Each structure stands twice: as structure tokens, then as C-alpha cells.
Amino acid sequence: MTEQDAMMDRINEAIALHHGGRHDEARHCFAALWEELGSEGDPFHRCTLAHFMADEQADPREELVWDLRALEAADELSDARVKEHHASLALRAFYPSLHLNLAEDYRKLGELDQARSHLARAKEALDALPDDGYGHLIRGGIERLTARLAP
């Protein structure tokens, strides 16, 4: 097992806490892992961790900070690195979710122009989503947010 795999295993353990409703524990684990990774750590790890850490924030401003970190890390990634983790993944398929989350953050903060901008970017990458449960989830989120942001 590589060091990268070991870190991903630890991130996945924190994600399991998140999915299990153990939010305080998940937030604590994500924070400790982020401290360990630092801003120069593996972008795949940073993207994944920040993406889930954002969901653990009660304050929309903090959620935005984490979602921006996830996007920044994704922008540093390559398809080769993503496929190292799993051959079925494609970097472009990350963007609809990342931009959807940012659009929702900005909506919560009342920054509707920014929200619409990120929503448009999410839509631009929709064709990269798989035709599965995950793809349907993200497409549904985009549709709902589009309706909320309609003038």
C-alpha cells in the first residue's frame, strides 16, 4: 500500500463518520487530516477532504471556504492522478458537483450573481457525469437550484 493509499483510507474513514451522522467526529478527523496534508499536499486528497469538510460546516461562509479549497485542489489535479485512485473516474466529472456546491454556498450568502455563475459552470460539465445514481443526484441538484435562482 502506498502512502497515498493510506491517506485516502484515512479520509474514507472520516467520510464514513460523516455519512454515519457522526458529524463532530468527522469534522475533527477532517481538520486533523487537513492539518497533516497542508496546502501543498496531494490535490486529490485535498479535493476530497475539503469537499466533505464543507458539508460539515454550520456557517455558510465556512462552507464556502472549504468548497473553494476543493475547487482549487481540483484545478491542480490531472486525469492521470484521478485514475490512479480509480480507473473509472474522470476529473471533468468532479466539476458539476464542485460548482453546484459553490452555487448553493453563494445563494445562501445572498450573492446571487456568483451563485448563477457557478451554476452555469456546473451545467457546462454535465455531459461528464455518469448516467447512474450519482449523476442523477447532481443533475437533480442543478435543476432544483436553477429553479430557486430563476428571476
Side-chain angles (χ1 to χ4, degrees):
M1 175 178 298
T2 69
E3 185 176 324
Q4 289 178 340
D5 291 335
M7 176 57 78
M8 201 63 221
D9 287 344
R10 294 169 59 207
I11 291 170
N12 283 329
E13 289 171 9
I15 291 170
L17 293 171
H18 163 80
H19 286 305
R22 296 165 60 186
H23 300 289
D24 288 338
E25 290 175 74
R27 192 170 32 260
H28 175 75
C29 286
F30 288 139
L33 291 167
W34 187 264
E35 182 73 24
E36 188 176 329
L37 278 172
S39 61
E40 300 300 316
D42 180 311
F44 184 80
H45 296 153
R46 287 187 291 120
C47 180
T48 305
L49 194 153
H51 183 67
F52 283 94
M53 179 62 140
D55 292 340
E56 293 297 341
Q57 304 307 307
D59 180 340
R61 290 176 298 271
E62 286 299 312
E63 186 175 1
L64 174 62
V65 167
W66 285 103
D67 281 328
L68 286 169
R69 286 176 178 159
L71 179 62
E72 179 183 320
D75 287 344
E76 296 174 24
L77 275 169
S78 67
D79 262 320
R81 173 61 184 104
V82 170
K83 289 192 181 305
E84 251 178 57
H85 179 70
H86 198 281
S88 70
L89 294 178
L91 175 58
R92 191 161 184 271
F94 288 21
Y95 286 97
S97 177
L98 294 171
H99 285 293
L100 172 60
N101 288 352
L102 284 163
E104 178 62 14
D105 296 342
Y106 284 117
R107 185 198 66 78
K108 289 177 191 174
L109 294 168
E111 297 181 36
L112 301 185
D113 287 342
Q114 283 279 50
R116 288 184 183 102
S117 174
H118 280 283
L119 186 59
R121 291 178 73 186
K123 290 176 181 179
E124 288 171 6
L126 275 176
D127 63 314
L129 287 176
D131 187 20
D132 61 8
Y134 173 76
H136 295 285
L137 175 74
I138 301 304
R139 285 182 184 91
I142 289 171
E143 289 174 15
R144 287 186 296 279
L145 189 54
T146 297
R148 279 191 204 127
L149 292 175

